[in-house]
Amino acid sequence: MWPPLSEVKSHCVIDEDSSHDDILLTGFISAAKNHIAQTLNRKIVSRTSDIELDEDTLLPIDEYVLAMDTEAGSSIRLALFLVVGHWYLNRESTSTLTIKEVPMSFNALLQPYRVY
């Protein structure tokens, strides 16, 4: 499953009782889900049981669907934490002093599951 807001707040070291940035973080989580799906060139579903199967072959109708309850889900969850944490700390991609990119580990986590 995708991590809930409470886990993302914990990763970003934000007090769970603080709701000041909840709307911002919720937006980051939604954008991160889209960014991960686009990076992987896949549709991501919560559970393997959500994958639609062909009645005759019992194979997935869409071979590019990936479920969060598979081994890939752990990497995807961590990638979401990394990208949301990065976006939270670096609200803009550039400043007068530095250019900030998404951490290299984001791509390293997702690369094995990417469809080219």
Side-chain angles (χ1 to χ4, degrees):
M1 295 296 239
W2 291 104
L5 177 61
S6 61
E7 289 182 24
V8 172
K9 288 172 77 170
S10 177
H11 173 77
C12 293
V13 192
I14 300 170
D15 185 8
E16 192 172 335
D17 296 333
S18 172
S19 61
H20 180 72
D21 287 334
D22 284 3
I23 292 173
L24 176 67
L25 288 169
T26 301
F28 284 164
I29 292 167
S30 179
K33 289 177 182 180
N34 289 334
H35 180 56
I36 290 168
Q38 289 175 355
T39 298
L40 295 176
N41 294 319
R42 291 177 177 261
K43 178 181 176 185
I44 302 172
V45 296
S46 294
R47 292 175 295 280
T48 306
S49 61
D50 296 334
I51 297 175
E52 190 177 353
L53 302 178
D54 180 277
E55 291 178 13
D56 296 328
T57 64
L58 298 178
L59 294 172
I61 290 174
D62 181 352
E63 63 182 296
Y64 299 121
V65 176
L66 188 59
M68 288 295 291
D69 64 352
T70 62
E71 183 179 306
S74 297
S75 295
I76 293 169
R77 283 176 57 90
L78 183 53
L80 182 132
F81 285 132
L82 291 174
V83 75
V84 170
H86 174 75
W87 290 342
Y88 184 72
L89 290 176
N90 304 287
R91 307 287 171 94
E92 303 293 331
S93 60
T94 62
S95 72
T96 56
L97 301 175
T98 68
I99 295 176
K100 304 273 185 177
E101 292 186 21
V102 174
M104 183 175 68
S105 52
F106 173 84
N107 291 322
L109 287 164
L110 297 179
Q111 200 281 328
Y113 307 105
R114 184 169 185 208
V115 175
Y116 292 92

